[in-house]
Amino acid sequence: MREETTQVLDSSSYMTLMVPFLRRLPDLLRQSGGKRWYGTGESAHWPVQSNMKLCAALAVMATDPDLENYAPRIPREEILEIALDLFRYAMRTHRTGDWKATDGKSWGHHWISVLGAERMAHGVNALEPYLTEEDRERYRRFRISESDWLLDEYPVVAGMEGRSGKNRPESNLWNGGFLLRTAMDYPELPRREEYLEKATSFLLNGISHPSDVASEQMFRGRPLREWSCGFNFTPNYSLDHHGYLNVGYMVISLSNVAMLHFNFRERGQSAPPELYHHAEELWKVVKHFLFPDGRLLRIGGDTRARYTYCQCYAVPMWLLAVDRFADRDAARFEKNWLDIVRSEMEYSGDGGCYTKRLANLRKTSYYYFCRLESDHLLSLSFGARWRKEFPLAAPSDPAPPQPAQWEDDFHDAALVRTSESVRSWVRAGGQGATGLCIPLNSSDMAEWQGNLNGCVTGNRIVEENSTGEQKTFPGGFLYSGKSDLVETLPLGEGEEAYAIAGHQTAAAALPDGKTLLVAGRCVMKKEATVNGVLSLNLEIPNDVFNGFRRRIRAAGFDKWFEMPEEKTREILDTGTDVICVDEKVGVRLLYGGKSLKIVRAGDRNILLVKPSPPDLVSLYAEVIAVDADFQSRRRMPGEILFDTVCAISAGSSLEEMTLRSARAVGNGLTRTAEVTGADGKTYQWTISYREDGGIPETALSRDGVPLR
């Protein structure tokens, strides 16, 4: 686990991380014709939000009474003037204003157009004494205009399936919050009661649960069932946002509750009960998905740059949990995460957070890069202001992490956490099915880009049509599933997006606290060009968060690896079937090959979303594979791309892995593995693949007794 360097947790913990950003601020600001803005300045929602987010962060810095302690050579008035300029750019380029954004358009009246204002609210509270009457009037007109549009034009909907277009937990929260804030700040408005009524509807359909549709709990004189438009969360509080098990947006939803909670505290207003609807229940589930150091345990993966956007908004979530739910563990997550932020900022070296790690992204999309930097700085400003304004609890004393077991049928997801390890499998992940098996205190080893599920590349091949099933038992789980690999970038006119291969997968978490067994079989269904095959595909990040060094050891093989400087791919054959990474993760090949390979990509290889342009990367990872073939060639129907069985063990040394007996045999379409677990018990696992490519059948026993 990362050594903790922060001795206290207060406003200064945040301000000392924020102030260095002022060094690089001139490079990110633009001005023309008496206007000044941050980033690209367009009317699209992310540039608008980025400008507002930086406004809020600068406002917090400029109004901190102790600023001179952190930035003695930077005039407070200069920071304040920039914050005011960014605020005025936002207000005057809105459709109620008199300026155009850099693309010649105004912004506003959109499902996401008020999000920037919600995230900027604490900054506006800080700026309020410095706003002119004109500033206040423009802000008022903007809020009324957007509130009227939300009232008259934007419906409240909710739905569990991300692909339905109705899964809107976070947007319902921010739109409801915007209406609520307008009604409470301007009580004289003629439509105030209408704003409050629709705000209630939005908020109750934010963190909405299946139980809501029959609930008699009363809100504004009506039972919850009458407010319910459906539900966004599954019965187990998982979220299918963007079409996969999205832990990040579970956090985002709570962050919007946090911003409203503290806004009302700052303004001396009382928040209505609908703001907190199911928030504490969701927080208790999200706690399962946090490593002890505060890093998100995103068992369903990510479709954003790693450890940026959603990770940033864990900060307001933790502050909410401390203040509203009296959870001091949240403060420890908060404190430990700041140590990780500090390490990345030190790596960047210029006051920014992502300057080096996301350098390729900045070259490819300055628009997106500016957004991510503004999220980073904004997240720090929440802590800087709220820990200054309110007596929030300090971190609890370290305690052993509590074991947890969680499952979700909708995503075919299972998680088993002990005090020392974490193992999971999710069929509906952001980049296909994905697994994890690492020590709990080694969050820097986590990645989910098809992790442990094999990888086939070609003409934009993606995993689609997946189905599966999972079942848990005390201390473990079984998973089996199947999917199609679809070629989605045909080159011929009129050519369809064909399913070119069938992929069958199985996984078993043994109740020994350490071991995850993984089996995969991938067979071509149609002739197609394939340019990469990686079976197993165990990804171990080797980047800034672990100091760019990993040791991989095997019998007759012992090497230290650093992030490559040469931009060429390299495949190293270890010549053995058992290896260990940093004496933390052991890997054993049981069936389907002779030895384990280490695939080195030559550059950062963890994509934002797969597939995507090769420049849109956010981490470098070493890849452990059985088959590693990058020859581009035509593959024929019936050709087996891989058929392997492996054992992964969290917290096991090479010697431990070698001493435990393990073997697997194949008979037709059946694979049978027999292994000795870390508990000394003998486990037998059978996988029966189906000729038609359907979900394989699996069974697991311990010392001859079936586990169900």
Side-chain angles (χ1 to χ4, degrees):
M1 184 175 178
R2 179 181 301 278
E3 181 181 352
E4 297 181 11
T5 59
T6 305
Q7 300 303 312
V8 296
L9 182 61
D10 57 19
S11 180
S12 68
S13 306
Y14 290 92
M15 285 291 289
T16 54
L17 295 175
M18 293 175 68
V19 166
F21 186 84
L22 297 173
R23 301 204 313 265
R24 66 184 313 263
L25 183 58
D27 182 49
L28 300 172
L29 291 176
R30 301 288 185 268
Q31 56 186 1
S32 176
K35 309 170 189 175
R36 182 156 50 174
W37 64 90
Y38 167 77
T40 57
E42 297 149 344
S43 64
H45 60 82
W46 282 123
V48 169
Q49 284 188 53
S50 297
N51 182 75
M52 288 183 171
K53 288 181 290 186
L54 189 66
C55 165
L58 295 177
V60 169
M61 280 194 274
T63 57
D64 189 307
D66 299 317
L67 176 65
E68 285 72 20
N69 295 338
Y70 316 115
R73 299 179 184 175
I74 300 175
R76 182 188 301 272
E77 296 75 15
E78 182 179 330
I79 306 171
L80 180 61
E81 192 57 40
I82 296 172
L84 287 167
D85 282 353
L86 302 187
F87 173 81
R88 289 163 184 155
Y89 185 84
M91 293 301 100
R92 297 185 72 170
T93 56
H94 184 257
R95 58 174 56 226
T96 59
D98 56 350
W99 290 351
K100 300 295 183 185
T102 57
D103 57 357
K105 301 175 184 177
S106 300
W107 65 275
H109 294 186
H110 189 256
W111 69 275
I112 199 174
S113 57
V114 305
L115 176 55
E118 288 301 284
R119 290 175 172 167
M120 180 178 67
H122 67 301
V124 176
N125 290 341
L127 284 178
E128 195 165 25
Y130 307 95
L131 298 177
T132 66
E133 286 305 314
E134 180 183 354
D135 292 332
R136 291 188 176 90
E137 179 57 27
R138 290 189 184 280
Y139 188 49
R140 183 178 186 272
R141 290 207 305 262
F142 149 68
R143 293 176 71 183
I144 294 171
S145 172
E146 291 291 335
S147 294
D148 285 347
W149 184 84
L150 287 170
L151 195 62
D152 298 331
E153 303 293 336
Y154 191 64
V156 182
V157 301
M160 191 170 68
E161 293 190 39
R163 291 181 176 87
S164 70
K166 295 182 178 181
N167 186 256
R168 301 180 185 176
E170 88 291 24
S171 59
N172 283 350
L173 288 167
W174 71 57
N175 287 320
F178 188 86
L179 284 168
L180 181 59
R181 290 197 309 112
T182 302
M184 295 179 75
D185 287 349
Y186 307 111
E188 75 284 357
L189 293 177
R191 306 189 75 181
R192 182 176 190 269
E193 286 303 311
E194 293 178 81
Y195 293 164
L196 290 172
E197 186 81 0
K198 192 156 188 180
T200 300
S201 182
F202 271 125
L203 294 173
L204 292 176
N205 286 282
I207 307 175
S208 50
H209 186 268
S211 62
D212 294 352
V213 299
S215 175
E216 296 295 328
Q217 185 178 0
M218 300 298 287
F219 294 92
R220 283 180 65 85
R222 292 162 52 195
L224 177 56
R225 58 180 170 77
E226 293 185 10
W227 293 100
S228 176
C229 297
F231 46 90
N232 290 314
F233 287 78
T234 73
N236 287 350
Y237 283 100
S238 73
L239 184 65
D240 193 49
H241 203 60
H242 293 170
Y244 68 98
L245 199 170
N246 201 327
V247 170
Y249 275 81
M250 296 160 71
V251 172
I252 291 293
S253 297
L254 286 169
S255 80
N256 280 98
V257 175
M259 292 170 212
L260 289 161
H261 168 81
F262 284 104
N263 173 74
F264 295 137
R265 285 205 64 185
E266 287 189 56
R267 299 183 72 80
Q269 298 165 333
S270 297
E274 51 263 35
L275 172 61
Y276 305 106
H277 182 55
H278 292 315
E280 188 167 11
E281 295 99 312
L282 177 58
W283 161 246
K284 289 177 180 177
V285 173
V286 169
K287 280 188 74 173
H288 295 328
F289 305 126
L290 291 166
F291 285 104
D293 61 10
R295 198 188 304 270
L296 298 187
L297 172 51
R298 300 190 62 140
I299 64 170
D302 199 357
T303 53
R304 299 286 189 271
R306 301 303 189 263
Y307 309 118
T308 57
Y309 173 58
C310 294
Q311 179 71 61
C312 289
Y313 289 93
V315 172
M317 174 188 71
W318 290 323
L319 292 163
L320 172 72
V322 170
D323 194 42
R324 176 73 183 184
F325 311 139
D327 191 330
R328 291 182 64 195
D329 289 342
R332 180 151 297 281
F333 293 133
E334 178 193 355
K335 172 181 176 290
N336 291 345
W337 173 246
L338 292 185
D339 289 337
I340 295 178
V341 171
R342 181 178 294 103
S343 70
E344 179 152 24
M345 291 183 66
E346 289 172 354
Y347 169 56
S348 288
D350 64 351
C353 192
Y354 309 125
T355 313
K356 285 190 178 179
R357 181 164 68 92
L358 301 184
N360 280 358
L361 180 61
R362 180 177 181 176
K363 288 185 232 176
T364 304
S365 178
Y366 183 74
Y367 169 109
Y368 193 16
F369 178 83
C370 288
R371 168 202 163 177
L372 295 181
E373 282 284 18
S374 67
D375 287 320
H376 151 68
L377 202 67
L378 177 76
S379 73
L380 298 176
S381 75
F382 293 127
R385 181 161 176 87
W386 297 337
R387 281 201 171 272
K388 177 78 72 174
E389 294 285 318
F390 308 114
L392 302 179
S396 61
D397 293 331
Q402 294 300 307
Q405 188 156 355
W406 182 89
E407 63 180 317
D408 181 62
D409 291 338
F410 184 80
H411 297 99
D412 293 313
L415 167 76
V416 178
R417 281 178 53 152
T418 72
S419 60
E420 296 181 347
S421 68
V422 57
R423 292 168 294 162
S424 65
W425 196 274
V426 176
R427 173 190 57 79
Q431 300 185 47
T434 183
L436 188 69
C437 180
I438 62 173
L440 185 62
N441 286 333
S442 298
S443 71
D444 55 57
M445 302 185 88
E447 178 48 45
W448 295 274
Q449 185 175 277
N451 193 53
L452 298 177
N453 194 43
C455 176
V456 177
T457 58
N459 291 325
R460 192 171 173 141
I461 295 172
V462 299
E463 185 176 276
E464 293 186 357
N465 307 320
S466 67
T467 58
E469 53 191 31
Q470 59 81 26
K471 55 185 175 182
T472 61
F473 45 83
F477 61 79
L478 281 173
Y479 168 84
S480 58
K482 67 93 176 177
S483 62
D484 289 332
L485 302 185
V486 180
E487 188 179 57
T488 63
L489 188 62
L491 302 179
E493 183 177 346
E495 189 176 5
E496 296 179 21
Y498 292 105
I500 64 167
H503 187 189
Q504 298 173 83
T505 306
L510 306 186
D512 68 345
K514 288 190 174 186
T515 307
L516 181 69
L517 304 178
V518 180
R521 188 171 192 266
C522 189
V523 182
M524 293 296 293
K525 300 171 71 170
K526 177 189 177 296
E527 180 182 345
T529 298
V530 171
N531 59 29
V533 174
L534 289 172
S535 57
L536 184 60
N537 192 48
L538 169 58
E539 296 161 321
I540 304 289
N542 189 3
D543 212 302
V544 58
F545 301 119
N546 64 286
F548 301 99
R549 280 174 64 80
R550 295 284 186 203
R551 183 189 185 190
I552 301 180
R553 198 161 67 93
F557 185 97
D558 190 348
K559 287 180 67 83
W560 285 92
F561 293 89
E562 298 183 356
M563 194 170 79
E565 295 182 3
E566 299 294 328
K567 307 299 183 183
T568 55
R569 182 189 293 119
E570 182 182 16
I571 301 174
L572 301 178
D573 192 337
T574 66
T576 181
D577 59 357
V578 184
I579 68 170
C580 191
V581 182
D582 287 348
E583 304 303 311
K584 293 180 178 180
V585 174
V587 186
R588 186 159 190 167
L589 170 60
L590 304 180
Y591 177 87
K594 295 182 179 179
S595 60
L596 294 164
K597 321 297 189 301
I598 302 166
V599 181
R600 316 207 70 217
D603 203 350
R604 288 189 164 101
N605 54 330
I606 300 302
L607 302 168
L608 272 65
V609 61
K610 184 181 178 183
S612 67
D615 283 342
L616 297 184
V617 293
S618 59
L619 279 177
Y620 172 75
E622 313 289 355
V623 179
I624 312 301
V626 180
D627 306 273
D629 182 354
F630 293 97
Q631 182 181 1
S632 181
R633 59 187 174 87
R634 299 294 284 179
R635 304 282 189 142
M636 297 295 120
E639 184 175 350
I640 298 173
L641 299 182
F642 56 80
D643 184 350
T644 60
V645 181
C646 294
I648 320 300
S649 186
S652 293
S653 67
L654 178 65
E655 286 72 21
E656 289 178 90
M657 290 294 292
T658 304
L659 287 173
R660 289 181 209 147
S661 64
R663 65 187 183 90
V665 295
N667 181 13
L669 292 177
T670 299
R671 310 287 171 261
T672 302
E674 187 172 282
V675 302
T676 300
D679 55 2
K681 306 290 186 180
T682 299
Y683 294 87
Q684 187 175 74
W685 184 42
T686 59
I687 310 102
S688 298
Y689 293 114
R690 291 173 50 176
E691 189 69 47
D692 63 3
I695 299 172
E697 296 180 359
T698 65
L700 180 67
S701 65
R702 177 176 55 194
D703 289 343
V705 179
L707 292 169
R708 297 185 176 91

